[in-house]
Amino acid sequence: MEYLDFELPIKELEEQLDKCELIGKESEVDVTESCKNIEKKLLKTKKEIYKNLTAWQRVQLSRHPNRPYTLDHITALTGNTFMELHGDRTVKDDKAMIGGLGKIGEQSFMFIGQQKGYNTKTRQYRNFGMSNPEGYRKALRLMKMAEKFGIPVVTLLDTPGAYPGLEAEERGQGEAIARNILEMTRLKTPIITIVIGEGASGGAVGIGVGDVVYMMENTWYSVISPESCSSILWRSWEHKEQAAEALKLTAEDMKKQKLIDGIIKEPLGGAHYDRETAFKEVEKTILEAYDKLKKLSTTELVKKRMEKYAKMGEFKG
């Protein structure tokens, strides 16, 4: 397990607990009481730390190297039923954007999401979760396929942003994202969107226009990352904590602003501490959302989605 800077008190107590249990195994000394006391202190410390997380600490947790990524979620949700589909039929297959068909129970879904890598080699292979235009065009192709066959769409957001390279701009990055936003607003099938990690800028919105949008507890969703915001306003990354607070990017902030529909609870310490529980919560959220959306006619579905986004940003003095 890797620990973030604010998690160091937890690391110390977990190391103490390991030593205590080791002494109990290797000697005849009864350390049961001592181990129990450390466990109590560990639980108390965890609750205190994770109850009072700052916006920047949430951002750090969303990027935790042990946090489950899109494919982890899809595999847990669909078992061996997932069939990945490739290519945008124009340029190539973007490895940062994945999509395909899978079943939760007896219900088929079209899953689409950004995929990050686990180590240097896979991060380069997945382009650090930053999609090129062909990734967004692949996503749209799969959404249109889902619409054709009446299959609901589930999008999982986890990206530091769309790829900003020259070749991406040459192939129409802005147009690809804008096209997706337009097409998703009028897609004639239910769309369930979940932010499972980082939800940065247009890179996330390009597959983030949903009938319902949920955020996992330790994720963020914003027009810009705290570091980029800090570098623009203060010409330095040093003010990233201040920028994170000002951007109101946490799940709680987004819910207060009525920009998302709900927050998915995570296990104490984050999704990486207890992956199975996190996956079950996501599955429950998807099935509950679909149960409500499937009752709407196609016309009602599109009308409600359009109205939902038209209301955003309204201000009454």
Side-chain angles (χ1 to χ4, degrees):
M1 177 67 74
E2 291 188 42
Y3 295 88
L4 301 169
D5 52 3
F6 64 88
E7 294 177 310
L8 292 178
I10 294 168
K11 183 186 178 185
E12 287 172 17
L13 286 167
E14 285 184 344
E15 285 172 354
Q16 283 178 30
L17 185 60
D18 288 342
K19 283 178 188 173
C20 184
E21 287 171 349
L22 193 65
I23 291 165
K25 283 177 188 173
E26 293 180 349
S27 69
E28 294 180 9
V29 180
D30 185 10
V31 291
T32 312
E33 198 61 38
S34 300
C35 288
K36 277 184 181 175
N37 288 336
I38 296 169
E39 278 178 0
K40 281 179 188 173
K41 196 175 178 184
L42 177 61
L43 184 61
K44 188 185 174 187
T45 306
K46 275 186 179 180
K47 283 179 178 175
E48 283 173 3
I49 288 174
Y50 296 119
K51 188 175 70 179
N52 302 302
L53 291 175
T54 64
W56 173 243
Q57 287 167 343
R58 298 261 187 215
V59 172
Q60 287 178 289
L61 273 177
S62 77
R63 297 170 177 167
H64 199 287
N66 300 122
R67 191 174 177 86
Y69 295 140
T70 297
L71 273 174
D72 298 317
H73 280 276
I74 292 173
T75 305
L77 292 168
T78 64
N80 60 358
T81 66
F82 181 63
M83 180 177 70
E84 189 174 351
L85 301 168
H86 300 273
D88 71 334
R89 302 294 185 268
T90 308
V91 180
K92 62 177 182 179
D93 184 44
D94 188 339
K95 306 299 181 187
M97 183 76 75
I98 58 160
L101 292 162
K103 283 187 173 184
I104 301 178
E106 292 303 308
Q107 176 60 49
S108 294
F109 290 92
M110 180 67 81
F111 291 93
I112 297 165
Q114 292 103 350
Q115 175 67 22
K116 292 177 177 176
Y118 300 93
N119 52 37
T120 305
K121 194 174 180 180
T122 56
R123 281 172 194 142
Q124 287 175 325
Y125 178 72
R126 297 289 181 186
N127 200 31
F128 300 87
M130 296 186 291
S131 294
N132 276 282
E134 49 271 23
Y136 292 100
R137 290 177 182 133
K138 170 167 76 170
L140 182 57
R141 180 176 77 81
L142 299 185
M143 286 184 225
K144 286 288 185 183
M145 186 191 290
E147 179 185 54
K148 183 179 179 180
F149 295 106
I151 297 167
V153 174
V154 174
T155 63
L156 302 171
L157 277 51
D158 186 14
T159 179
Y163 184 58
L166 179 64
E167 62 272 33
E169 297 300 334
E170 285 173 343
R171 292 197 296 274
Q173 184 72 286
E175 187 277 336
I177 291 170
R179 170 71 56 187
N180 277 25
I181 294 168
L182 170 66
E183 295 292 350
M184 286 182 85
T185 56
R186 59 192 187 190
L187 200 75
K188 295 180 177 70
T189 195
I191 307 170
I192 299 160
T193 296
I194 301 173
V195 184
I196 60 165
E198 298 184 87
S201 195
V205 180
I207 58 164
V209 182
D211 295 295
V212 285
V213 180
Y214 296 94
M215 286 176 73
M216 293 187 78
E217 196 178 356
N218 296 307
T219 63
W220 63 278
Y221 202 7
S222 177
V223 70
I224 193 169
S225 71
E227 295 94 329
S228 299
C229 177
S230 175
S231 65
I232 290 168
L233 296 180
W234 290 281
R235 301 284 187 271
S236 161
W237 279 22
E238 287 176 16
H239 299 273
K240 54 188 182 289
E241 290 95 337
Q242 193 179 337
E245 290 294 338
L247 284 167
K248 301 292 179 193
L249 43 65
T250 67
E252 280 185 18
D253 291 324
M254 292 293 284
K255 185 79 170 67
K256 279 177 193 170
Q257 302 282 359
K258 297 180 180 175
L259 296 173
I260 62 165
D261 300 282
I263 300 168
I264 301 172
K265 193 87 176 149
E266 288 187 31
L268 186 65
H272 55 286
Y273 264 96
D274 184 355
R275 287 179 167 222
E276 292 309 310
T277 302
F279 295 146
K280 279 175 187 170
E281 285 297 316
V282 170
E283 181 180 338
K284 182 180 155 196
T285 303
I286 291 169
L287 292 175
E288 284 177 359
Y290 177 61
D291 201 44
K292 291 174 185 173
L293 293 171
K294 71 180 180 183
K295 292 169 186 171
L296 300 172
S297 68
T298 304
T299 310
E300 282 179 308
L301 191 73
V302 175
K303 185 169 177 278
K304 278 180 176 284
R305 193 187 304 144
M306 290 257 193
E307 286 172 355
K308 170 190 169 84
Y309 284 92
K311 279 179 189 173
M312 287 183 186
E314 274 186 6
F315 179 76
K316 292 174 184 174

